[in-house]
Amino acid sequence: MAGFGLEEIGIPGGVYLKESLTHCTDPLKAIEEFQVENGILLPSLRPMLHLLDLHGVKRLDFHNSIMEELRDKLISQITELGKREGRERDRKLKELLTKSFPVIKIKALRPVVMCILKHMSHVEDKYLKILVRDRELYEACDTEVKRQIWKDSQALFGDEVSPLLTGYITSKEDTLFSVENLNNLFFSPSPKARRQGEMVQKLVHMIGRNVKLYDMVLQFLRTLFLRTRFIHYCSLRAELLMALHDNEVHDIIAVDPCHKFTWCLDACIREGKVDAKRSRELQGFLDSIRRGQEQVLGDLSMILCDPYAINFLANSVIRLLQHLMNNEAMPRDNSVLVLMLRMLALGLHSWDMIESQLFREPKLDPQIVTKFLPALVSLMVDDDVRRFNAKLPLDERESAITIIEHSGPPPDAYQAYLQESSVACILAMYYTLHTATRKDKTALMRVLGTLATCHQDRAFQDTFLHSLVAALIPMADDFSTEDFCTVVFDEFFFTNISRENVMRHVMKLVWYIHPKLPPVRLDTLQKALQPGPLQGEAIQALYEKFQTRVQEFQEVQNQPTPMNEMDSPLMAVPTPAPIQ
């Protein structure tokens, strides 16, 4: 054991022993005297040491075992002291730290010092500076101690948080791009399950109850969202707040102005609906933002830009439009619908708002409600007419001309607003998903190609393509017809096939539906999906697996089918009669 710090607390250590051996006349006697003076001062123990010598037990091993036992008991007592409250506890811990801190560099004794530091609500700067300067000591600190270091060192805290943020984004992308994943889709987990994820829980532990650290994390998320445009940082913003809510960390949630809004929205997502009461709460919060509080809109917009929030709001609008259509009601008269459109607009403008630092709620174009939604509802009406007509007996069905009228190009207003409005674009995307989920081939072919001209290429975001591919895979039989392939591939996917993320999603689709594709179409796809030399290793590896999968299938298909003996022409020849 090194002797660093022992002299400072009045215990003779390495320096004392070196001086003694340097100036003594009999080194062996000096060593023996040192052992007697600094050994365990228990007279009855001394004769037993010779017995241990006879059994080959080294004095070092013996003293180490005694030290470890005493250390563990001391740590246990410090832990009990730490559970108490009041000034007396703080006084005793401070006193213990003063006496023990000099030996912190002795590894065997370090756990005692770390235990004292862990239970102190406030550690003086003179100690924290020593811990920061020595990397080994810093790494040995508990999170409770590191929090006190981090609150005054944003760079150090950023270094600790960065791998967690990267890990969070990686886990989201792994789910979105996984070829084998057909069941645990991106939007499948509940809000509660998502915030129980490893990275979110580690962040919660690192923050503890420290408001300053929480604010730092939020600033990291804003900066990274602005720099990368990754909407998953918006998910983490909401999940982190609700994870702290689950843990009842009132010190933080009480000062986050977005808490009640996020809590209410989370309840809506969990229940799958926005009822009248929740609608009033959400609208009341948006309406209550006063002059001087506009920056709150920046954080609110991030929470509404969370892809899980967008997914919920857009699906809710589609369901509500279906309900209004069935009840012959007007979209403009439904306050819940107008609120959801308002929230969608705020979420979809999040990046622009934070980038410009102009914290004003974007105005919803009234023509979205008066022109685009009626056009969208007209498509839904056509879908219902075709579906109802298909259920009728043949002699009662409408004429082919009438059905064609319900299957033609979408209305001009529908296509025009896709290119101009992010809200219209999102609703069109989710209507398209709705048709694919219902396996309505005619409806899907009618609108999928129009998404290629969507506002800001929103239809080529990973969260949408992931859901679209998952909905198209069960329609594999429809890919045997060239007209369906033309719409899906030529009119939609191929318009942006140069983007690596689009290639990966198309590869996943073809991975499952290739047995149904016409040979010429499959050959075209294989050529189109071949990555360029400058593209990443992930897509190169995926393409190789994809090629192998297709080739193995083709080899099986090309193998001659073994003839069943029952199919042999000889089976038709009568068996000769036995010789009498």
Side-chain angles (χ1 to χ4, degrees):
M1 183 192 299
F4 302 116
L6 289 175
E7 280 82 2
E8 292 182 44
I9 60 172
I11 298 175
V15 176
Y16 176 86
L17 186 57
K18 182 181 178 182
E19 287 291 321
S20 299
L21 292 174
T22 303
H23 299 98
C24 72
T25 54
D26 187 348
L28 292 177
K29 187 177 181 182
I31 292 172
E32 187 179 350
E33 287 176 357
F34 182 85
Q35 288 177 326
V36 171
E37 291 172 6
N38 296 287
I40 300 172
L41 301 177
L42 192 63
S44 59
L45 176 64
R46 199 162 297 157
M48 299 300 295
L49 293 177
H50 299 293
L51 183 61
L52 291 174
D53 293 340
L54 292 173
H55 283 82
V57 177
K58 293 180 181 179
R59 298 286 177 91
L60 174 63
D61 295 338
F62 169 70
H63 283 94
N64 274 340
S65 67
I66 297 295
M67 184 273 296
E68 288 168 5
E69 185 70 24
L70 292 173
R71 181 192 64 195
D72 293 344
K73 286 189 176 182
L74 180 56
I75 288 173
S76 177
Q77 289 182 351
I78 293 168
T79 303
E80 287 299 316
L81 175 62
K83 291 177 182 177
R84 300 177 196 167
E85 294 183 3
R87 292 182 180 178
E88 183 63 18
R89 183 204 76 153
D90 294 340
R91 186 188 64 77
K92 287 184 177 179
L93 287 173
K94 187 175 180 180
E95 204 173 283
L96 282 169
L97 183 63
T98 304
K99 291 179 178 178
S100 64
F101 196 82
V103 300
I104 195 169
K105 291 195 176 183
I106 302 175
K107 286 188 177 181
L109 300 177
R110 188 178 298 161
V112 175
V113 187
M114 291 300 178
C115 184
I116 298 168
L117 288 166
K118 177 182 177 180
H119 289 96
M120 293 184 72
S121 55
H122 173 71
V123 178
E124 293 178 49
D125 285 346
K126 64 179 182 180
Y127 298 121
L128 295 178
K129 287 176 181 177
I130 294 171
L131 296 173
V132 171
R133 283 199 298 266
D134 190 316
R135 190 69 191 178
E136 185 181 344
L137 294 181
Y138 171 77
E139 293 293 346
C141 289
D142 290 287
T143 305
E144 290 81 357
V145 183
K146 287 181 178 178
R147 287 189 199 121
Q148 300 194 46
I149 296 172
W150 293 332
K151 66 183 175 63
D152 295 318
S153 178
Q154 184 171 348
L156 195 56
F157 185 53
D159 291 342
E160 293 278 355
V161 167
S162 182
L164 299 183
L165 301 183
T166 303
Y168 180 86
I169 298 298
T170 302
S171 69
K172 295 294 183 186
E173 292 186 337
D174 287 347
T175 302
L176 287 169
F177 290 120
S178 172
V179 172
E180 289 82 8
N181 179 17
L182 285 180
N183 298 316
N184 185 26
L185 298 176
F186 184 80
F187 291 112
S188 298
S190 68
K192 187 90 170 180
R194 285 189 280 113
R195 57 183 178 259
Q196 293 298 320
E198 180 187 0
M199 300 304 166
V200 177
Q201 289 301 312
K202 282 184 175 179
L203 270 176
V204 168
H205 178 64
M206 288 176 72
I207 292 167
R209 297 181 175 276
N210 195 301
V211 176
K212 192 172 181 181
L213 295 182
Y214 177 67
D215 285 340
M216 280 189 201
V217 172
L218 296 192
Q219 189 55 48
F220 294 152
L221 294 179
R222 293 185 200 104
T223 303
L224 288 166
F225 175 50
L226 197 58
R227 187 183 302 164
T228 65
R229 288 182 180 260
F230 287 171
I231 51 179
H232 305 303
Y233 290 117
C234 300
S235 302
L236 185 53
R237 167 68 174 94
E239 288 170 15
L240 180 59
L241 174 55
M242 287 309 299
L244 292 165
H245 168 91
D246 292 343
N247 290 357
E248 299 182 353
V249 185
H250 297 294
D251 297 358
I252 292 176
I253 61 177
V255 297
D256 189 327
C258 300
H259 171 237
K260 289 184 179 178
F261 182 88
T262 309
W263 184 12
C264 187
L265 179 63
D266 183 79
C268 293
I269 295 173
R270 188 175 65 247
E271 294 165 7
K273 62 179 181 179
V274 180
D275 57 27
K277 180 187 175 186
R278 303 269 191 219
S279 171
R280 285 193 299 271
E281 289 177 4
L282 291 167
Q283 182 161 343
F285 192 91
L286 289 175
D287 293 341
S288 68
I289 297 173
R290 306 186 185 283
R291 187 180 297 276
Q293 299 177 326
E294 291 90 348
Q295 281 200 342
V296 174
L297 277 173
D299 272 359
L300 276 184
S301 70
M302 277 189 74
I303 285 162
L304 289 170
C305 186
D306 169 14
Y308 296 95
I310 297 287
N311 177 69
F312 165 72
L313 291 170
N315 274 321
S316 297
V317 169
I318 298 298
R319 284 197 299 269
L320 192 49
L321 288 174
Q322 194 84 37
H323 173 76
L324 294 173
M325 178 189 74
N326 293 336
N327 290 277
E328 300 182 3
M330 299 288 286
R332 71 182 77 174
D333 298 330
N334 190 285
S335 61
V336 176
L337 175 63
V338 174
L339 171 66
M340 287 194 286
L341 294 175
R342 180 184 174 187
M343 291 163 66
L344 267 176
L346 182 55
L348 294 171
H349 284 84
S350 178
W351 189 89
D352 297 319
M353 186 184 297
I354 296 171
E355 193 270 339
S356 66
Q357 292 290 293
L358 296 175
F359 298 105
R360 289 195 298 267
E361 185 177 344
K363 288 186 178 179
L364 180 67
D365 184 351
Q367 291 192 342
I368 295 293
V369 180
T370 59
K371 291 188 176 180
F372 174 75
L373 289 187
L376 179 55
V377 171
S378 75
L379 293 173
M380 294 179 171
V381 171
D382 290 345
D383 298 343
D384 276 8
V385 169
R386 287 195 313 275
R387 195 160 43 250
F388 178 73
N389 190 65
K391 292 178 181 178
L392 294 174
L394 286 173
D395 56 342
E396 295 182 24
R397 293 186 185 181
E398 292 188 27
S399 67
I401 294 175
T402 309
I403 294 302
I404 289 171
E405 290 175 359
H406 293 294
S407 309
D412 292 341
Y414 179 87
Q415 299 188 57
Y417 279 99
L418 283 187
Q419 302 169 30
E420 299 173 6
S421 165
S422 54
V423 173
C425 178
I426 287 291
L427 294 180
M429 287 157 55
Y430 274 83
Y431 165 67
T432 305
L433 273 182
H434 175 72
T435 63
T437 305
R438 295 174 74 164
K439 296 186 179 181
D440 189 336
K441 178 182 175 183
T442 302
L444 181 62
M445 290 177 64
R446 195 178 182 189
V447 295
L448 180 58
T450 64
L451 296 184
T453 59
C454 252
H455 182 256
Q456 295 181 347
D457 277 347
R458 289 189 183 275
F460 295 97
Q461 290 181 341
D462 292 322
T463 48
F464 174 70
L465 293 181
H466 170 84
S467 299
L468 178 63
V469 167
L472 287 173
I473 289 171
M475 298 180 71
D477 290 339
D478 293 311
F479 283 93
S480 59
T481 60
E482 186 57 33
D483 60 342
F484 190 67
C485 289
T486 299
V487 171
V488 173
F489 296 115
D490 299 344
E491 295 182 13
F492 180 63
F493 282 117
F494 280 5
T495 61
N496 240 325
I497 196 65
S498 59
R499 291 169 57 164
E500 186 170 313
N501 72 307
V502 177
M503 291 179 73
R504 292 180 72 171
H505 288 292
V506 176
M507 238 180 274
K508 178 177 180 178
L509 174 60
V510 182
W511 181 281
Y512 289 99
I513 57 113
H514 70 85
K516 302 292 184 178
L517 289 170
V520 175
R521 171 61 68 177
L522 179 58
D523 186 58
T524 302
L525 281 164
Q526 286 179 282
K527 291 175 181 176
L529 292 173
Q530 186 168 4
L534 299 179
Q535 289 182 297
E537 292 181 8
I539 195 165
Q540 301 279 2
L542 179 60
Y543 183 74
E544 288 179 15
K545 289 181 181 177
F546 164 69
Q547 284 284 74
T548 303
R549 182 180 174 89
V550 172
Q551 287 169 6
E552 288 175 352
F553 173 78
Q554 290 174 337
E555 288 170 5
V556 171
Q557 291 295 103
N558 293 333
Q559 285 179 359
T561 306
M563 187 166 58
N564 190 321
E565 62 176 15
M566 297 300 291
D567 296 333
S568 171
L570 294 176
M571 295 302 294
V573 179
T575 306
I579 299 174
Q580 299 293 328

